[in-house]
Amino acid sequence: MKKILLVLFVCSIVTAQQVTTVSGFAGAGYVDGSLANAKFSGPIGICADPTGTLYIADGNNYCVRKIDFSTGVVSTFAGTAVQGFADGSMATAQFHSPGGICMDSAGNLFVADRGNNKIRKIDVSTGMVSTFAGSTQGFANGTGTSTKFNNPAGICIDSNDNLYVVEWGNNVVRKITPTRQVTTFAGSINGFADGVGSAAKFATPMALCADAQNTIFVADTYNAKIRKIEPNGTVSTIAGSTYGYLDGIALTSQFSTTNGICIDSNNNLYVTDNDRIRKIDLTNNVVSTYVGSLTGAYATVDGEGNLALLSDPKGIGITANDIIYFCQFGPCKIRKITSILSTDNFVENSLQLYPNPNTGSFSINTVQNCSIVIYDLLGQLVFTKKNLQSENTLLETGLKKGGYLVCITSAEGKTTNQKMVIE
């Protein structure tokens, strides 16, 4: 019986999510440097490469930023932080309100350059930025720069390196092949209708993502719905009913302000919705609130589940090992969501919790100014210590015998977790 209960407890812990701030602690601005000191302005799009390095479309800084966790440094990857339009080297290229961002199989980045009504390509092999598709504002299919877009917002890529772009100005989803052929994949005029291709209608779609089978999922913002587009162009509604907030059965759930969407390796969708991130379980067709709660406050608070406060989350992306990152547009922060049973390793991070097992007292040879939280096997928060100022400090928890999870967050926002046993 004890073994059965332990399994149930562990399953409970796995569902608990921890939100931490990765960078942007100092507020809005434009500063490269350490994770703790870097500043962003209106970050809106985000994607990760296979190593977990992040690329951010920093909208109001008119550039693409890079977060390299191996060095803990934020840098400007492309753009001059001056509004404009210019192709050329990554150091001299200019963007105007870049939004969605994604990466192809060769590691090249594609940016929905909304203010310029173009799709830009950042070629990592040459270090050059070029216009992949688009010219002036409007609507025209064709090839490369003979085409026209109207406020392209979100962008994603499928397993064949085809790009898909949502345009909230044209209310359509466009498809761009690797040979730069642009067609209308789905949608026609503003409205709501399921159907095939141009028979379908969207209302200001803002974001989209692709699964491993090249099915496209769209955050249809003004319709307050999540739509699905099959590879043959068939559009259906998979979640959302009327404007509002309601978890539960997918088609009766409610959304309000959907600005970002991504999919994990288990085919769960995550949607930024007002001050929350919602999860859509595609297997059971259920919508739940993953993290965050609506407070109406312009606030950023790290923490577990609905204790975390989000403000104006926009783009959301996911790494190869299902760690979720998202942009907060207004507070200009980059934040991270992990399960409190994250596989982060103490040894890899040069940290040690000792002794383990212990009797309720332990030390950690950690850096200064970190925060420590401990969860029991039910996923309940049972101990907190903030702003630990010195290494190897003995912590007296007063906790009873049992298993626990210790989560340490550094001043730079890096989180490391380890199981602990109290005897």
Side-chain angles (χ1 to χ4, degrees):
M1 180 62 69
K2 290 183 178 179
K3 291 183 179 180
I4 294 175
L5 287 174
L6 178 59
V7 171
L8 291 175
F9 289 161
V10 170
C11 290
S12 174
I13 291 178
V14 168
T15 63
Q17 309 306 322
Q18 187 75 18
V19 178
T20 54
T21 300
V22 170
S23 191
F25 298 91
Y30 174 66
V31 176
D32 285 333
S34 68
L35 292 171
N37 295 326
K39 293 184 179 182
F40 302 83
S41 182
I44 193 168
I46 188 167
C47 72
D49 72 11
T51 70
T53 297
L54 299 181
Y55 296 88
I56 313 294
D58 196 6
N60 293 339
N61 280 324
Y62 315 111
C63 61
V64 175
R65 313 286 290 282
K66 176 181 177 180
I67 300 180
D68 187 337
F69 290 108
S70 66
T71 61
V73 170
V74 177
S75 59
T76 300
F77 189 69
T80 61
V82 175
Q83 177 183 310
F85 169 72
D87 286 333
S89 70
M90 293 192 296
T92 61
Q94 291 182 333
F95 299 84
H96 182 355
S97 303
I101 186 169
C102 66
M103 178 175 286
D104 71 9
S105 60
N108 300 306
L109 288 169
F110 294 86
V111 181
D113 192 2
R114 184 178 60 82
N116 285 316
N117 294 292
K118 295 174 174 64
I119 306 303
R120 313 288 291 282
K121 177 181 179 179
I122 306 173
D123 190 318
V124 294
S125 63
T126 64
M128 301 297 289
V129 177
S130 61
T131 300
F132 195 67
S135 53
T136 58
Q137 186 176 34
F139 176 79
N141 290 322
T143 304
T145 55
S146 69
T147 63
K148 295 182 180 181
F149 295 84
N150 186 354
N151 286 289
I155 188 169
C156 73
I157 198 160
D158 70 12
S159 63
N160 298 313
D161 282 340
N162 295 303
L163 292 169
Y164 298 85
V165 182
V166 286
E167 297 172 77
W168 60 260
N170 285 324
N171 296 293
V172 295
V173 178
R174 311 281 285 281
K175 178 179 179 179
I176 312 175
T177 68
T179 59
R180 303 169 69 194
Q181 298 297 312
V182 179
T183 56
T184 302
F185 189 55
S188 51
I189 60 175
N190 181 71
F192 171 71
D194 287 334
V196 180
S198 60
K201 295 179 183 179
F202 300 88
T204 314
M206 293 298 293
L208 75 177
C209 66
D211 71 8
Q213 290 71 45
N214 297 330
T215 299
I216 308 299
F217 298 91
V218 180
D220 191 7
T221 304
Y222 278 21
N223 279 322
K225 293 174 174 58
I226 306 301
R227 316 287 290 282
K228 178 173 78 171
I229 313 176
E230 303 286 354
N232 66 1
T234 300
V235 178
S236 59
T237 301
I238 62 167
S241 54
T242 56
Y243 180 91
Y245 169 68
L246 181 67
D247 286 334
I249 298 171
L251 288 175
T252 60
S253 66
Q254 293 178 325
F255 295 84
S256 57
T257 310
T258 56
N259 285 301
I261 187 169
C262 69
I263 190 165
D264 70 12
S265 61
N266 294 313
N267 281 340
N268 297 302
L269 290 170
Y270 301 88
V271 181
T272 57
D273 182 31
N274 210 332
D275 291 339
R276 305 178 180 93
I277 291 176
R278 314 284 291 282
K279 177 180 177 180
I280 305 174
D281 182 333
L282 296 177
T283 301
N284 298 306
N285 296 314
V286 171
V287 174
S288 59
T289 298
Y290 198 58
V291 296
S293 59
L294 185 62
T295 64
Y298 190 75
T300 297
V301 176
D302 289 341
E304 179 190 335
N306 62 8
L307 298 179
L309 297 184
L310 322 182
S311 181
D312 202 14
K314 298 288 190 185
I316 186 168
I318 195 162
T319 66
N321 56 348
D322 285 341
I323 296 176
I324 296 172
Y325 292 89
F326 64 95
C327 302
Q328 285 198 172
F329 185 81
C332 303
K333 301 181 187 302
I334 310 302
R335 304 182 74 186
K336 170 183 175 181
I337 309 173
T338 52
S339 165
I340 63 170
L341 281 184
S342 167
T343 57
D344 288 354
N345 192 297
F346 265 55
V347 175
E348 292 175 351
N349 290 281
S350 301
L351 296 175
Q352 293 180 356
L353 183 158
Y354 61 93
N356 189 15
N358 57 62
T359 59
S361 302
F362 64 91
S363 298
I364 299 175
N365 67 329
T366 185
V367 295
Q368 293 184 358
N369 198 26
C370 71
S371 297
I372 297 173
V373 295
I374 301 178
Y375 299 88
D376 65 17
L377 290 180
L378 292 174
Q380 297 174 327
L381 181 65
V382 293
F383 179 84
T384 300
K385 179 70 175 180
K386 295 183 178 180
N387 300 319
L388 190 64
Q389 294 297 322
S390 59
E391 297 181 5
N392 304 313
T393 299
L394 181 66
L395 296 173
E396 299 282 355
T397 66
L399 297 174
K400 63 183 180 181
K401 295 180 180 179
Y404 297 89
L405 185 76
V406 181
C407 306
I408 300 176
T409 302
S410 70
E412 292 78 20
K414 292 184 178 180
T415 300
T416 306
N417 304 330
Q418 184 181 8
K419 295 177 182 178
M420 178 182 72
V421 175
I422 295 179
E423 296 180 331

Short mmCIF file of all heavy atoms in Angstrom, two decimals, residues 242-292:
data_model
loop_
_atom_site.label_atom_id
_atom_site.label_comp_id
_atom_site.label_asym_id
_atom_site.label_seq_id
_atom_site.Cartn_x
_atom_site.Cartn_y
_atom_site.Cartn_z
N THR A 242 -17.25 31.26 -26.38
CA THR A 242 -17.43 32.72 -26.37
C THR A 242 -16.31 33.37 -25.58
O THR A 242 -15.57 32.71 -24.85
CB THR A 242 -18.78 33.09 -25.75
OG1 THR A 242 -18.85 32.52 -24.43
CG2 THR A 242 -19.94 32.54 -26.59
N TYR A 243 -16.19 34.68 -25.71
CA TYR A 243 -15.16 35.44 -25.02
C TYR A 243 -15.36 35.32 -23.50
O TYR A 243 -16.48 35.43 -23.00
CB TYR A 243 -15.24 36.90 -25.44
CG TYR A 243 -14.22 37.79 -24.78
CD1 TYR A 243 -12.98 38.02 -25.37
CD2 TYR A 243 -14.48 38.41 -23.56
CE1 TYR A 243 -12.05 38.86 -24.78
CE2 TYR A 243 -13.55 39.24 -22.95
CZ TYR A 243 -12.33 39.45 -23.57
OH TYR A 243 -11.40 40.26 -22.96
N GLY A 244 -14.27 35.07 -22.78
CA GLY A 244 -14.35 35.00 -21.32
C GLY A 244 -13.23 34.16 -20.76
O GLY A 244 -12.15 34.04 -21.35
N TYR A 245 -13.50 33.56 -19.62
CA TYR A 245 -12.51 32.68 -18.99
C TYR A 245 -13.24 31.50 -18.37
O TYR A 245 -14.05 31.67 -17.45
CB TYR A 245 -11.70 33.42 -17.92
CG TYR A 245 -10.88 32.49 -17.06
CD1 TYR A 245 -9.80 31.80 -17.59
CD2 TYR A 245 -11.21 32.27 -15.72
CE1 TYR A 245 -9.05 30.94 -16.82
CE2 TYR A 245 -10.47 31.42 -14.93
CZ TYR A 245 -9.39 30.74 -15.48
OH TYR A 245 -8.65 29.88 -14.72
N LEU A 246 -12.96 30.31 -18.88
CA LEU A 246 -13.58 29.10 -18.36
C LEU A 246 -12.74 27.90 -18.75
O LEU A 246 -12.45 27.69 -19.93
CB LEU A 246 -15.00 28.94 -18.90
CG LEU A 246 -15.79 27.72 -18.41
CD1 LEU A 246 -16.08 27.84 -16.91
CD2 LEU A 246 -17.09 27.57 -19.20
N ASP A 247 -12.32 27.13 -17.75
CA ASP A 247 -11.65 25.86 -18.00
C ASP A 247 -12.70 24.76 -18.15
O ASP A 247 -13.87 24.95 -17.85
CB ASP A 247 -10.72 25.52 -16.83
CG ASP A 247 -9.46 26.37 -16.81
OD1 ASP A 247 -9.06 26.85 -17.89
OD2 ASP A 247 -8.88 26.55 -15.73
N GLY A 248 -12.22 23.59 -18.62
CA GLY A 248 -13.13 22.45 -18.74
C GLY A 248 -13.09 21.84 -20.12
O GLY A 248 -12.04 21.83 -20.79
N ILE A 249 -14.22 21.32 -20.55
CA ILE A 249 -14.32 20.69 -21.87
C ILE A 249 -13.90 21.69 -22.94
O ILE A 249 -14.35 22.85 -22.93
CB ILE A 249 -15.74 20.18 -22.12
CG1 ILE A 249 -16.10 19.11 -21.07
CG2 ILE A 249 -15.89 19.61 -23.52
CD1 ILE A 249 -17.55 18.71 -21.10
N ALA A 250 -13.05 21.25 -23.85
CA ALA A 250 -12.40 22.18 -24.78
C ALA A 250 -13.37 23.08 -25.52
O ALA A 250 -13.19 24.30 -25.59
CB ALA A 250 -11.52 21.40 -25.76
N LEU A 251 -14.42 22.52 -26.10
CA LEU A 251 -15.32 23.30 -26.95
C LEU A 251 -16.29 24.18 -26.16
O LEU A 251 -16.96 25.01 -26.77
CB LEU A 251 -16.08 22.39 -27.90
CG LEU A 251 -15.22 21.80 -29.03
CD1 LEU A 251 -16.03 20.82 -29.87
CD2 LEU A 251 -14.65 22.91 -29.91
N THR A 252 -16.36 24.02 -24.86
CA THR A 252 -17.18 24.93 -24.05
C THR A 252 -16.32 25.86 -23.20
O THR A 252 -16.84 26.72 -22.49
CB THR A 252 -18.13 24.14 -23.12
OG1 THR A 252 -17.35 23.30 -22.24
CG2 THR A 252 -19.09 23.29 -23.93
N SER A 253 -15.01 25.70 -23.28
CA SER A 253 -14.09 26.58 -22.55
C SER A 253 -14.14 27.98 -23.14
O SER A 253 -14.67 28.20 -24.23
CB SER A 253 -12.67 26.03 -22.60
OG SER A 253 -12.18 26.06 -23.94
N GLN A 254 -13.56 28.92 -22.40
CA GLN A 254 -13.54 30.31 -22.87
C GLN A 254 -12.13 30.87 -22.80
O GLN A 254 -11.37 30.59 -21.87
CB GLN A 254 -14.48 31.17 -22.03
CG GLN A 254 -15.95 30.84 -22.19
CD GLN A 254 -16.84 31.69 -21.30
OE1 GLN A 254 -16.47 32.04 -20.19
NE2 GLN A 254 -18.02 32.03 -21.79
N PHE A 255 -11.81 31.69 -23.80
CA PHE A 255 -10.54 32.41 -23.87
C PHE A 255 -10.85 33.88 -24.07
O PHE A 255 -11.95 34.25 -24.48
CB PHE A 255 -9.68 31.90 -25.03
CG PHE A 255 -9.23 30.47 -24.90
CD1 PHE A 255 -10.05 29.43 -25.30
CD2 PHE A 255 -7.99 30.17 -24.38
CE1 PHE A 255 -9.65 28.11 -25.18
CE2 PHE A 255 -7.56 28.85 -24.25
CZ PHE A 255 -8.40 27.82 -24.65
N SER A 256 -9.83 34.73 -23.79
CA SER A 256 -10.06 36.16 -23.98
C SER A 256 -9.02 36.78 -24.91
O SER A 256 -9.35 37.22 -26.00
CB SER A 256 -10.09 36.89 -22.63
OG SER A 256 -8.90 36.67 -21.91
N THR A 257 -7.76 36.78 -24.51
CA THR A 257 -6.74 37.48 -25.30
C THR A 257 -5.59 36.53 -25.59
O THR A 257 -4.59 36.51 -24.88
CB THR A 257 -6.23 38.73 -24.56
OG1 THR A 257 -7.34 39.50 -24.12
CG2 THR A 257 -5.37 39.58 -25.48
N THR A 258 -5.73 35.72 -26.62
CA THR A 258 -4.71 34.73 -26.96
C THR A 258 -3.68 35.35 -27.88
O THR A 258 -3.98 35.80 -28.97
CB THR A 258 -5.35 33.51 -27.63
OG1 THR A 258 -6.08 33.93 -28.78
CG2 THR A 258 -6.30 32.81 -26.68
N ASN A 259 -2.42 35.36 -27.43
CA ASN A 259 -1.35 35.99 -28.20
C ASN A 259 -0.20 35.07 -28.55
O ASN A 259 0.68 35.45 -29.32
CB ASN A 259 -0.79 37.19 -27.43
CG ASN A 259 -1.72 38.38 -27.47
OD1 ASN A 259 -2.04 38.88 -28.53
ND2 ASN A 259 -2.18 38.81 -26.30
N GLY A 260 -0.15 33.88 -27.98
CA GLY A 260 0.93 32.96 -28.27
C GLY A 260 0.47 31.53 -28.12
O GLY A 260 -0.46 31.24 -27.36
N ILE A 261 1.14 30.61 -28.84
CA ILE A 261 0.75 29.21 -28.76
C ILE A 261 1.97 28.35 -29.10
O ILE A 261 2.78 28.71 -29.96
CB ILE A 261 -0.43 28.90 -29.72
CG1 ILE A 261 -0.96 27.48 -29.52
CG2 ILE A 261 -0.06 29.16 -31.16
CD1 ILE A 261 -2.28 27.23 -30.24
N CYS A 262 2.12 27.23 -28.39
CA CYS A 262 3.18 26.27 -28.70
C CYS A 262 2.69 24.88 -28.32
O CYS A 262 1.65 24.72 -27.68
CB CYS A 262 4.49 26.61 -27.98
SG CYS A 262 4.45 26.37 -26.18
N ILE A 263 3.42 23.86 -28.74
CA ILE A 263 3.01 22.48 -28.50
C ILE A 263 4.19 21.68 -27.97
O ILE A 263 5.34 21.88 -28.41
CB ILE A 263 2.45 21.85 -29.80
CG1 ILE A 263 1.78 20.50 -29.53
CG2 ILE A 263 3.52 21.75 -30.89
CD1 ILE A 263 0.91 20.02 -30.67
N ASP A 264 3.95 20.79 -27.00
CA ASP A 264 5.02 20.00 -26.42
C ASP A 264 5.11 18.63 -27.09
O ASP A 264 4.36 18.31 -28.02
CB ASP A 264 4.88 19.89 -24.90
CG ASP A 264 3.71 19.03 -24.44
OD1 ASP A 264 3.10 18.31 -25.26
OD2 ASP A 264 3.39 19.07 -23.23
N SER A 265 6.03 17.80 -26.61
CA SER A 265 6.27 16.50 -27.23
C SER A 265 5.14 15.52 -26.98
O SER A 265 5.07 14.47 -27.64
CB SER A 265 7.59 15.91 -26.70
OG SER A 265 7.53 15.73 -25.29
N ASN A 266 4.23 15.82 -26.05
CA ASN A 266 3.08 14.97 -25.77
C ASN A 266 1.80 15.51 -26.41
O ASN A 266 0.71 15.07 -26.07
CB ASN A 266 2.88 14.83 -24.26
CG ASN A 266 4.03 14.10 -23.60
OD1 ASN A 266 4.46 13.05 -24.06
ND2 ASN A 266 4.55 14.67 -22.51
N ASN A 267 1.95 16.46 -27.33
CA ASN A 267 0.83 17.06 -28.05
C ASN A 267 -0.13 17.80 -27.12
O ASN A 267 -1.35 17.78 -27.33
CB ASN A 267 0.06 16.01 -28.87
CG ASN A 267 0.78 15.69 -30.17
OD1 ASN A 267 1.61 16.47 -30.64
ND2 ASN A 267 0.46 14.57 -30.77
N ASN A 268 0.43 18.46 -26.13
CA ASN A 268 -0.35 19.42 -25.33
C ASN A 268 -0.05 20.81 -25.85
O ASN A 268 1.11 21.16 -26.11
CB ASN A 268 0.03 19.34 -23.85
CG ASN A 268 -0.28 17.99 -23.25
OD1 ASN A 268 -1.41 17.53 -23.27
ND2 ASN A 268 0.75 17.34 -22.72
N LEU A 269 -1.09 21.61 -26.01
CA LEU A 269 -0.93 22.99 -26.44
C LEU A 269 -0.86 23.91 -25.23
O LEU A 269 -1.53 23.67 -24.22
CB LEU A 269 -2.09 23.42 -27.33
CG LEU A 269 -2.18 22.80 -28.72
CD1 LEU A 269 -3.52 23.15 -29.36
CD2 LEU A 269 -1.04 23.28 -29.60
N TYR A 270 -0.08 24.98 -25.35
CA TYR A 270 0.01 25.99 -24.31
C TYR A 270 -0.26 27.34 -24.97
O TYR A 270 0.34 27.68 -25.99
CB TYR A 270 1.39 25.98 -23.64
CG TYR A 270 1.69 24.64 -23.02
CD1 TYR A 270 2.30 23.63 -23.77
CD2 TYR A 270 1.33 24.36 -21.70
CE1 TYR A 270 2.55 22.38 -23.22
CE2 TYR A 270 1.59 23.12 -21.15
CZ TYR A 270 2.19 22.14 -21.91
OH TYR A 270 2.43 20.90 -21.37
N VAL A 271 -1.19 28.10 -24.37
CA VAL A 271 -1.66 29.33 -24.97
C VAL A 271 -1.53 30.47 -23.96
O VAL A 271 -1.99 30.35 -22.82
CB VAL A 271 -3.14 29.20 -25.40
CG1 VAL A 271 -3.63 30.49 -26.05
CG2 VAL A 271 -3.33 28.02 -26.34
N THR A 272 -0.90 31.57 -24.37
CA THR A 272 -0.89 32.76 -23.52
C THR A 272 -2.24 33.45 -23.66
O THR A 272 -2.68 33.78 -24.76
CB THR A 272 0.24 33.73 -23.90
OG1 THR A 272 0.13 34.10 -25.27
CG2 THR A 272 1.60 33.09 -23.68
N ASP A 273 -2.92 33.66 -22.54
CA ASP A 273 -4.28 34.17 -22.56
C ASP A 273 -4.45 35.16 -21.43
O ASP A 273 -4.58 34.78 -20.26
CB ASP A 273 -5.27 33.01 -22.42
CG ASP A 273 -6.73 33.46 -22.48
OD1 ASP A 273 -7.00 34.45 -23.17
OD2 ASP A 273 -7.57 32.83 -21.83
N ASN A 274 -4.45 36.45 -21.79
CA ASN A 274 -4.55 37.50 -20.80
C ASN A 274 -3.40 37.35 -19.81
O ASN A 274 -2.25 37.35 -20.22
CB ASN A 274 -5.92 37.49 -20.12
CG ASN A 274 -6.35 38.88 -19.67
OD1 ASN A 274 -5.52 39.72 -19.37
ND2 ASN A 274 -7.64 39.12 -19.65
N ASP A 275 -3.64 37.21 -18.52
CA ASP A 275 -2.55 37.08 -17.56
C ASP A 275 -2.36 35.63 -17.11
O ASP A 275 -1.89 35.38 -16.00
CB ASP A 275 -2.83 37.96 -16.34
CG ASP A 275 -2.72 39.44 -16.67
OD1 ASP A 275 -2.07 39.76 -17.68
OD2 ASP A 275 -3.30 40.27 -15.95
N ARG A 276 -2.70 34.71 -17.97
CA ARG A 276 -2.55 33.29 -17.66
C ARG A 276 -1.92 32.56 -18.85
O ARG A 276 -1.90 33.06 -19.97
CB ARG A 276 -3.90 32.64 -17.36
CG ARG A 276 -4.72 33.28 -16.26
CD ARG A 276 -6.04 32.54 -16.14
NE ARG A 276 -6.92 33.08 -15.12
CZ ARG A 276 -7.87 33.99 -15.33
NH1 ARG A 276 -8.06 34.47 -16.56
NH2 ARG A 276 -8.63 34.42 -14.35
N ILE A 277 -1.46 31.35 -18.56
CA ILE A 277 -1.11 30.42 -19.63
C ILE A 277 -2.01 29.21 -19.47
O ILE A 277 -2.07 28.58 -18.41
CB ILE A 277 0.37 30.03 -19.59
CG1 ILE A 277 1.21 31.27 -19.97
CG2 ILE A 277 0.67 28.88 -20.54
CD1 ILE A 277 2.68 31.08 -19.87
N ARG A 278 -2.75 28.92 -20.53
CA ARG A 278 -3.73 27.83 -20.52
C ARG A 278 -3.13 26.62 -21.21
O ARG A 278 -2.32 26.73 -22.14
CB ARG A 278 -5.00 28.26 -21.25
CG ARG A 278 -5.53 29.65 -20.90
CD ARG A 278 -6.23 29.68 -19.56
NE ARG A 278 -7.48 28.95 -19.57
CZ ARG A 278 -8.62 29.40 -20.10
NH1 ARG A 278 -8.66 30.60 -20.69
NH2 ARG A 278 -9.73 28.68 -20.03
N LYS A 279 -3.54 25.46 -20.78
CA LYS A 279 -3.09 24.19 -21.37
C LYS A 279 -4.28 23.50 -22.02
O LYS A 279 -5.35 23.40 -21.42
CB LYS A 279 -2.48 23.29 -20.29
CG LYS A 279 -2.05 21.92 -20.81
CD LYS A 279 -1.47 21.08 -19.68
CE LYS A 279 -1.09 19.68 -20.15
NZ LYS A 279 -0.52 18.85 -19.05
N ILE A 280 -4.08 23.01 -23.24
CA ILE A 280 -5.10 22.24 -23.93
C ILE A 280 -4.59 20.82 -24.11
O ILE A 280 -3.63 20.57 -24.85
CB ILE A 280 -5.45 22.85 -25.31
CG1 ILE A 280 -5.85 24.32 -25.15
CG2 ILE A 280 -6.58 22.06 -25.97
CD1 ILE A 280 -6.08 25.03 -26.47
N ASP A 281 -5.21 19.89 -23.40
CA ASP A 281 -4.89 18.47 -23.51
C ASP A 281 -5.62 17.93 -24.72
O ASP A 281 -6.84 17.71 -24.69
CB ASP A 281 -5.32 17.75 -22.23
CG ASP A 281 -4.98 16.27 -22.22
OD1 ASP A 281 -4.89 15.67 -23.30
OD2 ASP A 281 -4.84 15.71 -21.12
N LEU A 282 -4.89 17.71 -25.81
CA LEU A 282 -5.53 17.29 -27.06
C LEU A 282 -6.01 15.84 -27.01
O LEU A 282 -6.85 15.43 -27.81
CB LEU A 282 -4.58 17.48 -28.23
CG LEU A 282 -4.19 18.93 -28.54
CD1 LEU A 282 -3.17 18.97 -29.67
CD2 LEU A 282 -5.41 19.74 -28.89
N THR A 283 -5.47 15.06 -26.08
CA THR A 283 -5.90 13.66 -25.94
C THR A 283 -7.27 13.58 -25.31
O THR A 283 -8.14 12.83 -25.76
CB THR A 283 -4.89 12.86 -25.10
OG1 THR A 283 -3.61 12.92 -25.74
CG2 THR A 283 -5.32 11.41 -24.97
N ASN A 284 -7.48 14.38 -24.26
CA ASN A 284 -8.75 14.33 -23.52
C ASN A 284 -9.67 15.51 -23.83
O ASN A 284 -10.77 15.59 -23.28
CB ASN A 284 -8.46 14.29 -22.01
CG ASN A 284 -7.68 13.05 -21.62
OD1 ASN A 284 -8.09 11.94 -21.93
ND2 ASN A 284 -6.54 13.24 -20.97
N ASN A 285 -9.20 16.44 -24.69
CA ASN A 285 -10.00 17.61 -25.08
C ASN A 285 -10.44 18.42 -23.86
O ASN A 285 -11.63 18.74 -23.71
CB ASN A 285 -11.20 17.19 -25.92
CG ASN A 285 -10.78 16.56 -27.24
OD1 ASN A 285 -9.91 17.08 -27.93
ND2 ASN A 285 -11.38 15.43 -27.58
N VAL A 286 -9.45 18.74 -23.02
CA VAL A 286 -9.72 19.49 -21.79
C VAL A 286 -8.80 20.71 -21.73
O VAL A 286 -7.61 20.62 -22.07
CB VAL A 286 -9.51 18.61 -20.55
CG1 VAL A 286 -9.57 19.44 -19.27
CG2 VAL A 286 -10.53 17.49 -20.50
N VAL A 287 -9.36 21.83 -21.31
CA VAL A 287 -8.60 23.06 -21.12
C VAL A 287 -8.44 23.32 -19.63
O VAL A 287 -9.40 23.21 -18.86
CB VAL A 287 -9.30 24.26 -21.78
CG1 VAL A 287 -8.57 25.56 -21.47
CG2 VAL A 287 -9.40 24.06 -23.28
N SER A 288 -7.23 23.67 -19.22
CA SER A 288 -6.97 24.00 -17.82
C SER A 288 -6.06 25.22 -17.76
O SER A 288 -5.43 25.60 -18.74
CB SER A 288 -6.32 22.82 -17.08
OG SER A 288 -5.09 22.47 -17.71
N THR A 289 -6.01 25.84 -16.59
CA THR A 289 -5.08 26.94 -16.38
C THR A 289 -3.77 26.36 -15.89
O THR A 289 -3.71 25.72 -14.84
CB THR A 289 -5.64 27.94 -15.36
OG1 THR A 289 -6.85 28.49 -15.88
CG2 THR A 289 -4.65 29.06 -15.09
N TYR A 290 -2.72 26.58 -16.66
CA TYR A 290 -1.42 25.98 -16.36
C TYR A 290 -0.68 26.78 -15.30
O TYR A 290 -0.23 26.24 -14.29
CB TYR A 290 -0.61 25.89 -17.65
CG TYR A 290 0.55 24.95 -17.62
CD1 TYR A 290 0.38 23.60 -17.33
CD2 TYR A 290 1.83 25.39 -17.92
CE1 TYR A 290 1.45 22.72 -17.33
CE2 TYR A 290 2.91 24.53 -17.93
CZ TYR A 290 2.71 23.19 -17.63
OH TYR A 290 3.78 22.33 -17.63
N VAL A 291 -0.54 28.07 -15.52
CA VAL A 291 0.05 28.98 -14.51
C VAL A 291 -0.62 30.33 -14.63
O VAL A 291 -1.17 30.69 -15.67
CB VAL A 291 1.58 29.14 -14.68
CG1 VAL A 291 2.31 27.84 -14.46
CG2 VAL A 291 1.92 29.72 -16.05
N GLY A 292 -0.55 31.09 -13.55
CA GLY A 292 -1.03 32.46 -13.56
C GLY A 292 -2.45 32.61 -13.06
O GLY A 292 -3.21 31.64 -12.96
#
